[in-house]
Amino acid sequence: MTATDIETRTPLAPVAPKDRIFTLDVLRGWAILGILAVNALMFAWPFSLEMATEIPPPWPHDPANILGHWVEAVFFQDKFRSLFSMLFGVSIFLIGGERGDEARSGLLLRRLLFLGLFGLIHGLAFWFGDILLHYAYCGLIVMLMRSWSARRLIWIGLSINLVAGLFAAAAMMAQALFAGAGADGGGGNPMAVTADQLAATIELYRSGFPAAHIENAKAWLFLQVFSIGLLPITMGLMMLGMGLFKAGFLAGRSPTWVYLLVFALGAGNLAFLGWFEWMDANAPHGAPAPSGGLAGVGASFAWVITLGYASMLILMTRFGLRFLTARLAPVGRMAFTNYLTQTLIMTSLFYMPWGPHWFGDPQWGPGGLWMIVGAIWIAQLIWSPLWLSVFQMGPLEWLWRCLTYGRMVPLRK
């Protein structure tokens, strides 16, 4: 999943590092690190496990896994996908400008088409959970709206996600009421798998090429169909992000009281979600969720927490903590490279032919995976500024820009 931007002031020339928008790079860095925590379990276990809620998880239901799951569900799940989508909406405007600019419109179109090509390769050859292809075709639609006013973009994007959140919250409450299930699913799921089916899938992944890649391709095809239902939500988030940038919010130019208010709303929803998610996480597996669906209600409005995170980082930058947020900026400048590098590392560890084949190993449950996630975070926080001390951009950013501009662009400083 990525929101790398080519921020350009002129139609047919890549942006110089000195002209980049610091706040956006910080938010991208935050997003790229956070998305790994969301994706980690899908690298390590079959996608069908997401739907297999009526069988016990293959890892122990112990304090480490309970805490690991709770942290991911409360602080990460859906928050960073929302942030990526908003930032991608910003990039559409920064690259394409107004619709009347034919040169930049052509540049944006080529950029999105090459992104779709990267997404196809990423999804089919490496990992089914790719988001790049989805962003590419959503972007082809949202690019038609980039000349709308900030007010119009914000209201439409906000309305779409508010309505979607209300529907999701109502579904969670109904599921808890009528199916005896909690906010994260329950019995009666026609797509759920048995323990034997799950074990068979794990064995196929562990066998390496070609069985692992065939299973990956099956999951990718399923996800492409599923992603069609996410079109309105993703496009709504892109419009919301574009509007918030035009209004100055995501560029760090809004009044302090606005960021304080949004941060308070996000923190309130985070506390609500955290409390009820903790109740559900500690319930025996298969038992009705003690929250009665209220954890799902909080999770349905993850984008509120996302905006709270953005406000927090902007306030930190504004009030003397820039030295901390600045650590995220190099990671954000290389978001495309770092996103795909995360895939290469995780798939190498779990099912690529050259790796140790840890896929489906119970030691890498929701608790154990945090050791790998943390190690990759540290590596990317270290290697991103080191690379950018010599080069102007990440290696995959450079390749993408060369393809987009149809010529070689400088890489070394």
Side-chain angles (χ1 to χ4, degrees):
M1 200 171 297
T2 184
T4 306
D5 296 318
I6 309 170
E7 296 154 357
T8 179
R9 305 290 182 183
T10 57
L12 297 175
V15 68
K18 64 182 178 62
D19 294 326
R20 296 186 67 91
I21 301 173
F22 176 78
T23 300
L24 294 182
D25 283 335
V26 169
L27 293 175
R28 282 191 212 96
W30 179 257
I32 199 64
L33 295 179
I35 203 68
L36 176 60
V38 179
N39 293 338
L41 201 64
M42 291 196 294
F43 282 115
W45 293 89
F47 179 55
S48 55
L49 189 62
E50 296 284 327
M51 299 172 286
T53 52
E54 73 287 337
I55 63 172
W59 52 80
H61 192 66
D62 58 22
N65 284 318
I66 290 171
L67 180 61
H69 164 75
W70 179 82
V71 170
E72 187 275 330
V74 173
F75 293 95
F76 294 89
Q77 194 173 85
D78 283 337
K79 290 79 178 175
F80 291 87
R81 178 187 57 81
S82 298
L83 182 55
F84 265 125
S85 301
M86 292 181 196
L87 292 173
F88 197 86
V90 175
S91 75
I92 290 173
F93 177 70
L94 288 172
I95 301 303
E98 301 296 336
R99 285 190 63 186
D101 191 327
E102 293 184 5
R104 292 179 68 172
S105 294
L107 190 73
L108 176 60
L109 178 61
R110 291 195 300 274
R111 181 178 189 257
L112 291 171
L113 291 176
F114 279 116
L115 181 66
L117 177 60
F118 280 119
L120 280 171
I121 297 170
H122 181 222
L124 285 171
F126 291 92
W127 181 55
F128 74 91
D130 166 77
I131 197 72
L132 303 179
L133 179 61
H134 181 67
Y135 277 4
Y137 58 72
C138 286
L140 290 171
I141 301 172
V142 175
M143 67 180 288
L144 303 176
M145 309 165 189
R146 65 186 190 276
S147 289
W148 288 0
S149 68
R151 181 185 295 272
R152 186 180 185 186
L153 287 164
I154 291 171
W155 276 110
I156 293 178
L158 197 62
S159 298
I160 290 172
N161 281 279
L162 183 60
V163 170
L166 290 172
F167 270 108
M172 294 298 179
M173 294 297 293
Q175 188 178 49
L177 181 63
F178 297 110
D184 56 355
N189 188 342
M191 295 184 293
V193 297
T194 66
D196 289 342
Q197 290 171 327
L198 193 65
T201 302
I202 291 172
E203 185 59 34
L204 288 170
Y205 267 96
R206 286 184 176 179
S207 69
F209 185 85
H213 288 78
I214 292 172
E215 289 301 307
N216 180 76
K218 290 178 181 177
W220 180 84
L221 286 170
F222 176 85
L223 194 60
Q224 298 318 298
V225 177
F226 177 79
S227 294
I228 295 173
L230 293 177
L231 270 168
I233 297 173
T234 301
M235 292 191 297
L237 287 167
M238 288 181 180
M239 285 189 283
L240 180 59
M242 191 187 300
L244 289 172
F245 176 76
K246 285 188 172 187
F249 181 88
L250 288 180
R253 298 196 303 268
S254 293
T256 298
W257 70 266
V258 173
Y259 294 116
L260 289 172
L261 176 61
V262 176
F263 173 75
L265 291 172
N269 191 28
L270 186 67
F272 178 92
L273 173 61
W275 176 263
F276 289 109
E277 188 68 44
W278 183 252
M279 292 171 58
D280 289 355
N282 284 276
H285 187 82
S291 75
L294 289 176
V297 172
S300 299
F301 299 95
W303 52 270
V304 178
I305 299 173
T306 297
L307 293 175
Y309 284 162
S311 297
M312 176 189 70
L313 291 169
I314 292 169
L315 288 170
M316 289 173 64
T317 302
R318 184 174 290 186
F319 292 108
L321 295 176
R322 186 186 176 99
F323 71 97
L324 288 177
T325 57
R327 305 283 76 79
L328 295 169
V331 181
R333 286 177 59 187
M334 294 177 56
F336 191 42
T337 295
N338 282 325
Y339 172 66
L340 295 178
T341 301
Q342 290 173 358
T343 293
L344 181 60
I345 295 171
M346 294 296 282
T347 56
S348 294
L349 290 174
F350 288 99
Y351 59 81
M352 283 296 177
W354 54 80
H357 293 194
W358 288 345
F359 193 86
D361 190 326
Q363 71 171 319
W364 302 117
L369 279 169
W370 280 103
M371 291 188 290
I372 299 176
V373 170
I376 296 175
W377 282 355
I378 293 170
Q380 294 191 328
L381 284 165
I382 292 172
W383 99 288
S384 296
L386 289 176
W387 178 274
L388 292 173
S389 67
V390 178
F391 301 100
Q392 296 192 56
M393 64 194 79
L396 291 176
E397 281 79 5
W398 174 80
L399 175 60
W400 192 12
R401 293 185 188 195
C402 289
L403 293 170
T404 298
Y405 288 91
R407 58 181 172 83
M408 300 292 287
V409 299
L411 178 58
R412 291 185 65 90
K413 285 189 173 180

